[in-house]
């Protein structure tokens, strides 16, 4: 057996799904039956399909722990042309923070909890227990590899593996919720602010409400780099919960507009911010 095949079988025995990589560290192309996804794709793809192809088609979705597949004739043909072994982090319950250069490594050491690290050609892979959505270029020199992705196998690394931290999840959240530069188009400018005239049924003093709101908005602004959308949800949930015992009205819609405006001001798309706030307030109502 080739060295790559031996490595793949050993990883599969540890329940790490593997696949072969050809030159330039890319997966093997689809066979004729799977070209253009005509077969419907693998069962573990984003849209599960009926593909029964015995070959390593569909890139990361071909990753498997089945030794009979890995050692089959069609896969052996691929192993003879393989330049490296890859694995599917999400399938192994892992997330890989791929740090591409020295600056990215320095950022990780300052921002993320220590975990298992694996040296790469240009940087390091930081491995965490837990899976999440994959995304590229979440910040300069940093990719996230987990679900629907593959990573090159470079060894078990060193250090104790830590649980997936919220700081890593927030990197992908920022990609989903923050505009890539430029101004933010918003319709919340000139919004009505909360005051006693529109909250005639609130049992709290204006100072109490404004203090809580101010602290919440400060939390959102403090997460301008990442996580502002989640903070908007949490602030809305917290503030709404404070009013569950009030006879009402408490003008929660005005508080909500303040929270939305703060999130939009740091780059969260308005529609996303509105959903986050509405969901947060709804959660507070259900909890009450």
């Amino acid at each position: 057996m080739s060295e790559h095949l031996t490595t793949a079988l050993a990883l599969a025995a540890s329940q790490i799904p593997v696949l072969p990589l050809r030159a330039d560290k890319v997966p093997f192309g689809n066979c004729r039956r799977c070209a253009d996804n005509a077969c419907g794709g693998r069962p573990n793809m984003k849209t599960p399909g009926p593909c029964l192809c015995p070959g390593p088609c569909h890139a990361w979705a071909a990753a498997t722990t089945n030794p009979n597949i890995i050692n089959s004739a069609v896969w052996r043909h691929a192993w003879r042309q393989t330049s490296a072994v890859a694995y599917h982090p999400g399938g192994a319950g892992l997330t890989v923070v791929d740090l591409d250069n020295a600056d990215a490594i320095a950022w990780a050491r300052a921002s993320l909890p220590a975990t298992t690290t694996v040296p790469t050609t240009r940087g390091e892979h930081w491995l965490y227990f837990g899976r999440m959505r994959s995304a590229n270029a979440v910040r300069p020199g940093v990719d996230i590899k987990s679900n629907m992705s593959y990573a090159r196998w470079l060894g078990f690394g060193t250090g104790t593996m830590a649980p997936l931290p919220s700081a890593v999840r927030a990197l992908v959240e920022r990609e989903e919720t923050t505009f890539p530069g430029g101004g933010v188009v918003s319709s919340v400018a000139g919004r009505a602010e909360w005051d006693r005239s529109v909250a005639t049924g609130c049992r709290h003093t204006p100072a109490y409400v404004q203090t809580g709101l101010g602290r919440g908005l400060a939390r959102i602004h403090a997460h301008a780099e990442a996580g502002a959308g989640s903070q908007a949800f949490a602030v809305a949930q917290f503030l709404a919960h404070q009013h569950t015992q009030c006879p009402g009205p408490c003008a929660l819609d005005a508080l909500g507009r303040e929270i939305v405006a703060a999130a939009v001001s740091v780059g969260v798309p308005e529609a996303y911010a509105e959903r986050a706030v509405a969901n947060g307030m709804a959660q507070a109502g259900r909890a009450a």
Side-chain angles (χ1 to χ4, degrees):
M1 291 190 296
S2 72
E3 178 185 352
H4 295 315
L5 176 53
T6 302
T7 298
L9 288 170
L11 292 174
S14 298
Q15 296 303 302
I16 299 175
V18 294
L19 69 151
L21 296 181
R22 54 188 173 89
D24 298 324
K25 300 184 294 185
V26 297
F28 285 79
N30 290 351
C31 68
R32 291 182 180 179
R33 286 175 294 180
C34 298
D36 300 320
N37 220 36
C39 61
R42 297 282 183 191
N44 57 333
M45 297 184 75
K46 183 177 183 180
T47 303
C51 179
L52 300 177
C53 169
C57 294
H58 307 294
W60 65 269
T64 181
T65 59
N66 187 330
N68 295 324
I69 294 176
I70 296 168
N71 205 22
S72 65
V74 65
W75 277 58
R76 275 180 173 267
H77 178 71
W79 290 120
R80 286 194 290 269
Q81 307 171 61
T82 294
S83 66
V85 178
Y87 68 105
H88 177 208
L94 304 176
T95 292
V96 177
V97 180
D98 185 1
L99 306 168
D100 237 2
N101 53 50
D103 289 342
I105 293 172
W107 165 82
R109 289 174 178 170
S111 306
L112 303 180
T115 189
T116 299
T117 62
V118 181
T120 68
T121 305
R122 295 179 296 181
E124 293 179 349
H125 284 174
W126 285 34
L127 278 59
Y128 291 99
F129 280 124
R131 65 188 77 185
M132 60 181 289
R133 188 175 74 83
S134 300
N136 292 326
V138 293
R139 59 175 292 117
V142 181
D143 297 331
I144 305 297
K145 301 179 184 294
S146 186
N147 293 331
M148 299 182 64
S149 184
Y150 68 89
R152 190 160 58 109
W153 177 256
L154 297 168
F156 286 98
T158 59
T160 302
M161 194 176 300
L164 180 62
S166 58
V168 173
R169 294 188 184 278
L171 293 171
V172 174
E173 173 192 293
R174 179 171 182 258
E175 180 188 74
E176 291 178 329
T177 63
T178 305
F179 285 120
V184 175
V185 178
S186 171
S187 62
V188 295
R191 63 197 181 280
E193 295 184 356
W194 189 95
D195 62 34
R196 177 59 68 187
S197 67
V198 294
T200 56
C202 183
R203 65 183 179 89
H204 299 293
T205 65
Y208 178 91
V209 174
Q210 293 293 352
T211 298
L213 176 62
R215 289 175 178 173
L217 300 185
R219 286 182 59 182
I220 294 171
H221 286 291
H223 287 77
E225 288 298 316
S230 294
Q231 290 300 317
F233 172 91
V235 170
Q237 183 181 42
F238 174 79
L239 292 180
H241 183 73
Q242 307 309 305
H243 295 268
T244 54
Q245 301 302 316
C246 292
C250 294
L252 293 183
D253 56 336
L255 292 178
R257 288 194 294 272
E258 293 275 349
I259 300 168
V260 169
V264 169
S265 72
V266 295
V268 178
E270 186 174 346
Y272 182 94
E274 289 175 344
R275 287 196 302 272
V277 170
N279 290 339
M281 289 191 171
Q283 287 286 342
R286 284 193 286 270

